[in-house]
Structure formats: structure tokens, C-alpha cells
Amino acid sequence: MSGRYQVAGSTAAAISASVEDGVRTGALPPGEGLPPVRGLARQLGVSPATVAKAYRELRQRGLVETAGRNGTRVRPRSVATRAAARPAAGAGLRDLSAGEPDRRLLPPLAAHLRAVAGAFAAPLTYADAGVLPELADAARERFAADGVPAGDVTVTNGALDAVERLLTAHLCPGDAVAVEDPGWGNLFDLVAALGLTPVPLAVDDEGPLPGALAAALSAGVGAVLVTSRAQNPTGAAVTADRAAALRRALRERPGTLLVEDDHAAELAAVAPHPLAGATDRWAFVRSASKPFGPDLRIAVVAGDEATVARVAGRMRIGTGWVSTVTQRLLLRLWSDPGVTAAVAAARAGYDARRDALAAALAARGCAAHATTGINVWVPVPDETRTVAALRDEGWAVAPGSLFRLASAPGVRLTVSPLDPADVEPLADAVARAVRPPTGRFTR
């Protein structure tokens, strides 16, 4: 361990806090080894069980990992450092790194909030709160239209909240979870924080590769996480043929938890091809953040009876329920033809920007993956050099290291801030920053 930082503390909580301080400040960099349990126990004058408990807490929170004979090390991409890993855009740069929807294309909420407020005759009590039956009914109709069996529905505070509740309801620390690679960085952090072991699941433009899924299932993963469409960061969307192949693999392991993330929802131009029901334990999560705005913090979840009951039951003893104010707001947004038209216009706008950039890159010999969604994934030989070169030309993009476990390097460009006049200059800048890559973005 680095001689510049000494772990301190006389209790498990104090020892884990000391290590966390070192990780957060950079005194314990990613990959740095921690002292052996018995060695640190002697140094601090505590029992080995105390140090072991501290290390166990740190593993469960995703700060460290066990490296076999190499002992315990700070995770290469720990929860404490990932949030700060995306370079700040800086003054004068066009920021294509954030992965956010275009604020200009989000439907205005003020009139709907006023209508929701006016509909309340009296304040709600604890007994009145929960999932609104009318929202659940509307969600079932929308799920059914997309081929998702939705007899049981609940509501959570966004997609990541749903995924966390699903994983903790079915898995224990140390269990393995198949996650798309490249994939959503926040999901990697969540899996680490829960003490679960991520198993990379290679993807192409049509979603997870069937062979990779079969291998992960044979290895005994307890859960599989799949993005239906607009996958972050690659834009992949599961096709009908790919869904059929994935369902065949999943049926061989019916006890596996299957979680599908449909975060783009109404903002995606392609229809989903759900895997729901391919295993005995499954959930289909649909967030409102991309089409209606991140601040809504609400997602609807369909699943098998036991899985939905576990999520709802755990919520009752924690936050209790998702605000019925937010639920009523989502219901109004779903039922307003003007909002539906606005979302359709936003969808067309994102598709036009994304397709234009992908075409411009292809014309310059640069590979790009951009089937659906608001991001374009560009394979590159050197992420650091590419990010730096684009910054020099006035563009901030996200390094692929934020979204990768074992897959090949790349950079992610979010098209939300782009105007039509930006496409050609940006494509020129990308072409200068990278040499034309070959192959797909999987391993």
C-alpha cells in the first residue's frame, strides 16, 4: 500500500471510513492494494475480525474488490471515483458528454402541475397512498401494446431505483450479474455498491449476443440486465430475431432474474421486442425520465407476481410509495394528445441528429454505432488521445472507460445539444481525432 496514506481506526466503521477517505481524495488510487487483514489488525491493535468486517463493508459498497491471492484492492472504477471521472466540459466547449435529453424538447409541465394541484380535494394520508389504480391500469395498457405481459405492476422512483430493488430482492452480495458491455456506467456502480459481481455481456447493434448470454447463464449468473432499445452508450436495440434467440437461452435457466430496462420508452422510434416471461422471475422497467424529463423520478415496473410483490413490499418499509402527485402528473402526460405530439417531435428530432452524425462519420471512414436513442458510440484505438484531441477542437465527449468492463475502447457522443449546422464540423473533428477503426465494439 502507498506509504503516503495510512489506514486508521479502532472499529470496523472507522477503518472503512478511513479507507473511503483515501479513495475519495486519491491517496488510495484505483488498483491500490490494501494491507492484509492480519497485518492491518496488528498495526491498528484490533482483532482480525474487525478488519475483515471493515473490508466486507467496503466490498459491499463497491469501493474495493477481492483479488484472490493478491488480496484486497481499490476497485479500478470505484463508486467513489466514477462520478468524477467524466471530464468537466469547461468554458467554451460544446458538451456532448452528459447523456442528457435536450431541455428544449421536453414537454412543459407547468399547466399539468396546476391541473394536478387543482384536482386534490383534501390532503392524502398514509392509508390513501400507494400505486394509483388508474396509473396501474394505464401502464398495463401501454405494456400490453408492446407485448409485455403486465398483470402485476408497481411504481418506483426511477429506473435505477427499480433495478436496485429488484436485485436486492433476489440476490445476495457475491452473486454474479450479467451486464451489457459496453453498458450504463451508473448500473456498473450500482452492481458494485450492492457487492455483486458483474459478468460482461457482449453486445452488438441488435442487443446482447446470444452466445455471450448462454455463457453467462452457464457460469451461474443470478440475474441478467438487458436494455430493450436506445442502449446507453451504443444505441443498440433488441431486434425480433435477437429476442427470439435470447429467449431460447433464458428458458434453459428459468430461475434466473431477468430485468429489462426500457429507459427511452416513448422516445424510442423502434418498437421493443421484450424478453419478459422467458424466465420465472422477470421485470420490465419503463422510466419517464427521457421523454418527459429527469426530474419526474418515476418508473413503472411490470413483472411476475412474486417479483413485483417483493419490490412493492420493500418499498413499503422504506420510502413507502412514489408520490401520488408525481403519479398523477405522469398519468396526465400520458393522456394529453399535445404532450404525445411533443414527444413524437422530440423523437424525430433525436433520430435526425443521430442519423445525420452517423452518416457524416461513415462518409469520413469512421465507424459509429447509433441505431436508436440519443447517443453515438465511436470505436477508437486510444480514448485518452481522442478525448483530448476533440477538446482541443472545442468538443467535450465522454471517454468509453466510463461504460466498459472488458470491451474495446470507444467514446460516447450525445446528440442532444447538436444543431444541424454542427454535424459536419463535428464529424470532421472526430475524423481528425481517430483513425478509422475496424470491427465491432464487443470483445
Side-chain angles (χ1 to χ4, degrees):
M1 189 181 72
S2 172
R4 297 191 304 272
Y5 189 84
Q6 298 297 318
V7 177
S10 58
T11 66
I15 294 169
S16 64
S18 176
V19 173
E20 183 176 2
D21 286 344
V23 173
R24 186 177 60 253
T25 61
L28 292 175
E32 184 79 6
L34 299 183
V37 169
R38 293 188 179 276
L40 183 57
R42 287 193 299 270
Q43 176 186 327
L44 299 178
V46 300
S47 72
T50 298
V51 176
K53 181 179 180 182
Y55 282 9
R56 183 167 61 250
E57 291 174 353
L58 290 164
R59 284 196 302 272
Q60 291 175 352
R61 291 165 52 211
L63 293 171
V64 304
E65 62 186 1
T66 301
R69 293 180 180 273
N70 293 322
T72 300
R73 296 184 176 277
V74 177
R75 285 181 59 85
R77 299 180 181 91
S78 73
V79 174
T81 58
R82 181 185 293 274
R86 180 169 63 88
L93 294 179
R94 294 292 303 279
D95 188 5
L96 309 182
S97 68
E100 298 273 356
D102 187 347
R103 293 185 183 184
R104 299 170 295 181
L105 298 182
L106 295 174
L109 302 181
H112 297 284
L113 285 167
R114 287 192 294 269
V116 168
F120 281 100
L124 293 183
T125 67
Y126 289 100
D128 298 322
V131 179
L132 293 177
E134 55 266 45
L135 179 65
D137 289 342
R140 290 188 186 96
E141 290 181 6
R142 298 171 86 87
F143 281 135
D146 287 326
V148 179
D152 294 276
V153 172
T154 192
V155 181
T156 62
N157 293 292
L160 203 62
D161 179 51
V163 174
E164 178 174 6
R165 294 178 188 281
L166 289 161
L167 293 178
T168 56
H170 288 284
L171 304 181
C172 297
D175 287 347
V177 179
V179 294
E180 295 166 331
D181 182 22
W184 187 20
N186 288 354
L187 182 60
F188 295 165
D189 288 346
L190 174 62
V191 167
L194 295 178
L196 303 172
T197 302
V199 175
L201 188 59
V203 299
D204 62 13
D205 289 329
E206 297 184 9
L209 301 182
L213 176 60
L217 292 169
S218 296
V221 297
V224 176
L225 307 180
V226 176
T227 308
S228 302
R229 46 190 176 173
Q231 197 256 15
N232 185 3
T234 68
V238 177
T239 62
D241 288 344
R242 180 61 53 83
L246 297 175
R247 290 177 69 90
R248 286 193 294 271
L250 288 163
R251 289 193 187 103
E252 297 296 319
R253 294 290 191 278
T256 306
L257 172 64
L258 167 66
V259 180
E260 294 179 87
D261 177 15
D262 188 31
H263 71 99
E266 295 86 354
L267 206 59
V270 300
H273 297 284
L275 310 176
T279 61
D280 296 336
R281 304 187 299 173
W282 63 274
F284 192 96
V285 181
R286 177 167 289 170
S287 170
S289 293
K290 290 298 188 299
F292 305 121
D295 198 34
L296 264 67
R297 311 314 305 145
I298 185 171
V300 289
V301 183
D304 66 273
E305 181 180 2
T307 293
V308 171
R310 287 187 184 187
V311 171
R314 181 62 184 89
M315 178 169 280
R316 279 195 297 272
I317 61 175
T319 58
W321 68 92
V322 174
S323 167
T324 57
V325 174
T326 306
Q327 293 186 56
R328 292 180 189 280
L329 176 59
L330 177 59
L331 188 58
R332 285 192 59 87
L333 294 172
W334 276 353
S335 59
D336 186 319
V339 171
T340 300
V343 171
R347 179 170 62 237
Y350 289 128
D351 288 350
R353 300 176 202 185
R354 187 192 64 247
D355 293 347
L357 179 57
L361 290 170
R364 290 160 175 78
C366 295
H369 301 277
T371 304
T372 55
I374 64 174
N375 298 305
V376 174
W377 178 257
V378 180
V380 300
D382 187 325
E383 290 178 7
T384 302
R385 181 175 66 82
T386 302
V387 171
L390 286 170
R391 287 179 69 86
D392 289 344
E393 298 215 34
W395 303 97
V397 302
S401 59
L402 300 177
F403 315 99
R404 298 189 295 108
L405 295 175
S407 54
V411 294
R412 189 194 71 179
L413 290 70
T414 300
V415 302
S416 304
L418 293 180
D419 293 318
D422 297 325
V423 171
E424 296 297 323
L426 173 59
D428 286 336
V430 172
R432 287 190 290 268
V434 300
R435 66 173 181 268
T438 59
R440 63 188 182 201
F441 50 77
T442 55
R443 279 188 279 175

Coordinates of all heavy atoms in Angstrom, one line a residue, residues 107-118 325 328-339:
P107 N -41.5 18.3 -22.8 CA -42.8 19.0 -22.7 C -42.9 19.8 -21.5 O -42.4 19.5 -20.4 CB -43.8 17.8 -22.7 CG -43.0 16.6 -22.1 CD -41.6 16.8 -22.6
P108 N -43.5 21.0 -21.6 CA -43.7 21.9 -20.4 C -44.6 21.2 -19.4 O -45.6 20.6 -19.8 CB -44.3 23.2 -21.0 CG -44.9 22.8 -22.3 CD -44.0 21.6 -22.8
L109 N -44.3 21.4 -18.2 CA -45.1 20.7 -17.1 C -46.0 21.6 -16.3 O -46.8 21.1 -15.6 CB -44.1 20.0 -16.2 CG -43.2 18.9 -16.8 CD1 -42.3 18.3 -15.7 CD2 -43.9 17.9 -17.5
A110 N -45.8 22.9 -16.4 CA -46.5 23.9 -15.5 C -48.0 23.7 -15.6 O -48.6 23.6 -14.5 CB -46.1 25.3 -15.9
A111 N -48.6 23.7 -16.7 CA -50.0 23.6 -16.8 C -50.5 22.2 -16.2 O -51.6 22.2 -15.6 CB -50.5 23.7 -18.3
H112 N -49.8 21.2 -16.4 CA -50.2 19.9 -15.9 C -50.0 19.9 -14.4 O -50.9 19.3 -13.7 CB -49.4 18.8 -16.5 CG -49.6 18.7 -18.0 ND1 -50.7 18.1 -18.6 CD2 -48.8 19.1 -19.1 CE1 -50.7 18.2 -19.9 NE2 -49.5 18.8 -20.2
L113 N -49.0 20.5 -13.9 CA -48.9 20.6 -12.4 C -50.0 21.4 -11.8 O -50.5 21.0 -10.7 CB -47.5 21.2 -12.1 CG -46.3 20.3 -12.2 CD1 -45.0 21.2 -12.2 CD2 -46.3 19.2 -11.2
R114 N -50.4 22.4 -12.4 CA -51.5 23.2 -11.9 C -52.8 22.4 -11.9 O -53.6 22.4 -11.0 CB -51.7 24.5 -12.7 CG -50.7 25.5 -12.5 CD -51.1 26.9 -13.1 NE -51.1 26.8 -14.5 CZ -50.1 27.1 -15.3 NH1 -48.9 27.5 -14.7 NH2 -50.2 27.1 -16.6
A115 N -53.0 21.6 -13.0 CA -54.2 20.7 -13.1 C -54.2 19.7 -12.0 O -55.2 19.4 -11.4 CB -54.3 20.1 -14.4
V116 N -53.0 19.1 -11.7 CA -52.9 18.1 -10.7 C -53.2 18.7 -9.3 O -54.0 18.1 -8.5 CB -51.5 17.4 -10.7 CG1 -51.3 16.6 -9.4 CG2 -51.3 16.6 -11.9
A117 N -52.7 19.9 -9.1 CA -52.9 20.5 -7.8 C -54.4 20.8 -7.6 O -55.0 20.7 -6.5 CB -52.1 21.8 -7.7
G118 N -55.1 21.2 -8.7 CA -56.5 21.6 -8.6 C -57.4 20.4 -8.4 O -58.5 20.6 -8.0
V325 N -48.6 12.7 -6.3 CA -48.6 13.9 -7.1 C -47.8 13.6 -8.4 O -48.3 13.9 -9.5 CB -47.9 15.1 -6.4 CG1 -47.7 16.3 -7.3 CG2 -48.7 15.5 -5.1
R328 N -49.9 11.2 -10.6 CA -51.0 11.8 -11.3 C -50.4 12.7 -12.4 O -51.1 12.8 -13.5 CB -51.8 12.7 -10.3 CG -52.6 11.9 -9.3 CD -53.4 12.8 -8.4 NE -54.0 12.0 -7.3 CZ -55.1 11.3 -7.4 NH1 -55.7 11.3 -8.5 NH2 -55.5 10.6 -6.3
L329 N -49.3 13.3 -12.2 CA -48.6 14.1 -13.3 C -48.3 13.2 -14.5 O -48.6 13.5 -15.6 CB -47.4 14.8 -12.8 CG -46.6 15.6 -13.8 CD1 -47.4 16.6 -14.4 CD2 -45.3 16.2 -13.1
L330 N -47.7 12.0 -14.2 CA -47.4 11.1 -15.3 C -48.6 10.6 -16.0 O -48.6 10.6 -17.3 CB -46.6 9.9 -14.8 CG -46.2 8.8 -15.8 CD1 -45.4 9.4 -16.9 CD2 -45.5 7.6 -15.1
L331 N -49.7 10.4 -15.3 CA -50.9 9.9 -15.9 C -51.5 11.0 -16.9 O -51.9 10.7 -18.0 CB -51.9 9.6 -14.9 CG -53.2 8.9 -15.3 CD1 -53.0 7.6 -16.1 CD2 -54.1 8.7 -14.1
R332 N -51.4 12.3 -16.5 CA -51.8 13.4 -17.3 C -51.0 13.5 -18.6 O -51.4 13.7 -19.7 CB -51.8 14.7 -16.5 CG -53.0 14.8 -15.5 CD -53.0 16.3 -15.0 NE -53.2 17.2 -16.2 CZ -54.4 17.6 -16.6 NH1 -55.5 17.1 -16.1 NH2 -54.5 18.4 -17.6
L333 N -49.7 13.3 -18.4 CA -48.8 13.4 -19.5 C -49.0 12.3 -20.5 O -49.0 12.5 -21.7 CB -47.3 13.4 -19.1 CG -46.8 14.5 -18.2 CD1 -45.4 14.2 -17.6 CD2 -46.8 15.8 -19.0
W334 N -49.3 11.1 -20.0 CA -49.6 10.0 -20.9 C -50.9 10.3 -21.7 O -51.0 9.8 -22.9 CB -49.8 8.7 -20.1 CG -48.5 8.0 -19.8 CD1 -47.3 8.3 -20.3 CD2 -48.4 6.9 -18.9 NE1 -46.4 7.4 -19.8 CE2 -47.0 6.5 -18.9 CE3 -49.3 6.2 -18.2 CZ2 -46.5 5.5 -18.2 CZ3 -48.8 5.1 -17.4 CH2 -47.4 4.7 -17.5
S335 N -51.9 11.0 -21.1 CA -53.2 11.1 -21.7 C -53.4 12.4 -22.5 O -54.5 12.6 -23.1 CB -54.3 11.0 -20.6 OG -54.1 12.0 -19.6
D336 N -52.4 13.2 -22.5 CA -52.6 14.5 -23.2 C -52.1 14.4 -24.7 O -50.9 14.1 -24.9 CB -51.7 15.6 -22.5 CG -52.0 17.0 -23.1 OD1 -52.0 17.1 -24.3 OD2 -52.0 17.9 -22.3
P337 N -52.9 14.6 -25.7 CA -52.5 14.5 -27.1 C -51.4 15.5 -27.4 O -50.5 15.2 -28.3 CB -53.8 14.8 -27.9 CG -54.9 14.5 -26.9 CD -54.4 14.8 -25.5
G338 N -51.4 16.7 -26.8 CA -50.4 17.6 -27.1 C -49.0 17.2 -26.6 O -48.0 17.4 -27.3
V339 N -49.0 16.5 -25.5 CA -47.7 16.0 -25.0 C -47.2 14.9 -25.9 O -46.1 14.7 -26.2 CB -47.8 15.5 -23.5 CG1 -46.6 14.8 -23.1 CG2 -48.1 16.7 -22.6

